Amino acid sequence: MMPRWKGKGLQAKANADPMSKIVSQLQSSLIQFETRGLLSSCSVLVEVDAELADLLNRSCFGRPRITAQEDKQWFQLDMEEAFYLCFSLKCLKVIGEDGSIKSNEELWDYFKSKKLVFPVSYKVYSHLRHKNWVVRSGLQYGVDFVAYRHHPALVHSEYAVLALSEGDNDLNGRLRVWSDVHCTVRLCGSVAKTLLTVIVNSNNQGANSPSCLEHYTVEERTITRWNPERSREDQTGPKNGTKKGVTRF
Amino acid sequence: MKPRWKGKGSQAKANADPMSKIVSQLQSSLIQSETRGLLSSCSVLVEVDAELADLLNRSCFGRPRITAQEDKQWFQLDMEEAFYLCFSLKCLKVISENGYIKSNEELWDYLKSKKPVFPVSYKVYSHLRHKNWVVRSGLQYGVDFVAYCHHPALVHSEYAVLVLSEGDNDLNGRLRVWSDVHCTVRLCGSVAKTLLTVIVNSNNQGANSPSCLEHYTVEEQTITRWNPERSREDQTGPKNGTKKIVKDWCNHI
């Protein structure tokens, strides 16, 4: 499925300024400023200057929060975003309520206590981010994440992502029954996104520490509708978006 | 939420010909003709003449199937529809592969073996049908049933129904996580239906036989989006469709 750019010249703009480079700049900048995040329930709050605010916006990490301060800005990071910056990019440290810096293991335990499926959810988030996809919350679309090829201002998101765990277990809240498959595929279609399920196999490594993550394996599948009329032999080729598949992404 | 009738005169037509009466006619006609259904995997097939075909269509039971026969027509009934005609309306008997008529208990066991949630699903289906709602499969809308207050040709369906079982158990495949709630509410909104969850409590009666059903209790809840801007005090009243609430639905009847 080709990315749908939001206007002329935007694809060129994106190619000139790849997401990998923007994220790298963010990483350097956060390290340089020794930025500290504050743990707040299920989020991490960071106070940033104009330069960092711009990098956070361009790399799509966190959401700006309105405050009374004029020269500083606050951003709120989701659990997966914060942990990615701390653990994968190693450019952020998080301070707990007691004022001391939380180690990655402590942060992992904390997030797991807030969200039981965090290990699976994080594996999916980091897997996509590593591939330079922009990954945001998909809640308003009834999924876990939405994935964009570049900044949402430049391109429409192509994939609506559900994070699933291998095997039939309680971690999977979605697609357990056919009505949910129909519901999700239909909704994704109505917002011009392809449903992407990313299935994480923990390979019996458990989830005691973030070091377990590197032994998890990931399988990607798209689920789309198949229209028999559009898939007959006498046509020149498959019409875009109508082939049903469990296809490799 | 008021029913949306399909065109002028549909409401009058519906009022002149209430669904309860049509279903009653279907019941009499099936009894009189001693109709027998054939069990076929997850469906029951019935062979009917023109009069019964018309009644099945008007009461919205089953779907006509195309065959080579000219004077007879075949209808395919879903599990819940077939069991409603057999057990609740007592107007149909079902024959299995060996040619014998299945008792209600045998039919119950068979349908349960095909669909573990059948007891809960059937309780919801019969609960709504008893109130004279037309109940059809909701699969294309990502739900279990859709409910119309009369024939789908006359009115748009108002409710997208999800069947749930009381308590946190494996029978519940839906609405276990927030993303599913958002997904379902958003899809229902886009097809102009209200999400209605019907929660069945078996009251520890188990599901060994259909006689357990009468001890099940049912709770209806609608789930809709709440829009703060549209719900401020200084407006004359709540805008239709924007009040979020988990409220009792039976008051709507």
Side-chain angles (χ1 to χ4, degrees), chain A:
Chain A
M1 200 180 190
M2 304 295 289
R4 294 180 304 120
W5 299 96
K6 282 181 173 179
K8 273 177 121 61
L10 294 182
Q11 182 171 9
K13 194 171 173 193
N15 289 342
D17 198 16
M19 189 51 62
S20 55
K21 198 172 99 188
I22 303 170
V23 173
S24 185
Q25 286 167 351
L26 171 72
Q27 184 185 26
S28 308
S29 215
L30 283 170
I31 290 173
Q32 187 190 350
F33 284 101
E34 297 184 342
T35 307
R36 299 286 178 258
L38 302 178
L39 200 52
S40 168
S41 184
C42 294
S43 304
V44 168
L45 304 171
V46 282
E47 187 187 17
V48 294
D49 63 7
E51 179 197 339
L52 263 174
D54 179 63
L55 283 165
L56 285 171
N57 279 324
R58 287 170 52 217
S59 59
C60 303
F61 279 88
R63 291 167 288 170
R65 307 314 274 177
I66 297 170
T67 68
Q69 288 176 299
E70 288 187 4
D71 56 332
K72 288 280 187 182
Q73 211 173 342
W74 284 86
F75 273 69
Q76 180 176 338
L77 300 165
D78 290 337
M79 282 193 239
E80 289 86 4
E81 294 175 321
F83 202 71
Y84 189 74
L85 294 173
C86 292
F87 178 69
S88 292
L89 298 188
K90 304 190 195 323
C91 57
L92 180 72
K93 294 203 194 299
V94 172
I95 299 176
E97 275 173 26
D98 58 358
S100 60
I101 290 179
K102 288 226 178 244
S103 69
N104 284 335
E105 284 70 25
E106 287 169 331
L107 205 51
W108 173 262
D109 285 338
Y110 177 83
F111 286 147
K112 263 200 312 175
S113 74
K114 292 290 185 186
K115 184 174 171 179
L116 292 170
V117 299
F118 178 74
V120 171
S121 175
Y122 179 73
K123 182 68 184 177
V124 173
Y125 178 89
S126 59
H127 172 80
L128 294 172
R129 271 285 189 184
H130 269 321
K131 293 186 179 188
N132 299 313
W133 286 83
V134 168
V135 186
R136 300 297 257 172
S137 167
L139 196 60
Q140 60 171 332
Y141 298 106
V143 292
D144 295 318
F145 301 114
V146 285
Y148 300 80
R149 184 82 58 153
H150 204 278
H151 196 282
L154 304 180
V155 68
H156 292 286
S157 71
E158 299 161 53
Y159 293 97
V161 184
L162 278 178
L164 300 177
S165 172
E166 180 75 38
D168 185 23
N169 53 52
D170 273 350
L171 288 180
N172 283 329
R174 300 298 303 275
L175 307 188
R176 297 169 75 98
V177 290
W178 276 114
S179 64
D180 194 3
V181 177
H182 281 273
C183 187
T184 315
V185 171
R186 183 165 176 158
L187 184 63
C188 288
S190 73
V191 293
K193 300 183 197 325
T194 302
L195 175 59
L196 172 68
T197 57
V198 184
I199 303 145
V200 177
N201 194 337
S202 66
N203 297 312
N204 289 320
Q205 295 290 314
N208 281 338
S209 94
S211 59
C212 299
L213 287 165
E214 57 182 322
H215 304 289
Y216 289 7
T217 46
V218 155
E219 185 182 341
E220 303 146 335
R221 294 186 193 163
T222 54
I223 302 179
T224 51
R225 292 188 67 188
W226 179 67
N227 191 328
E229 277 98 13
R230 295 194 189 182
S231 308
R232 296 202 187 288
E233 271 183 5
D234 53 3
Q235 289 184 335
T236 45
K239 293 275 189 302
N240 199 19
T242 57
K243 264 278 195 274
K244 164 187 91 178
V246 171
T247 55
R248 294 281 176 221
F249 155 88

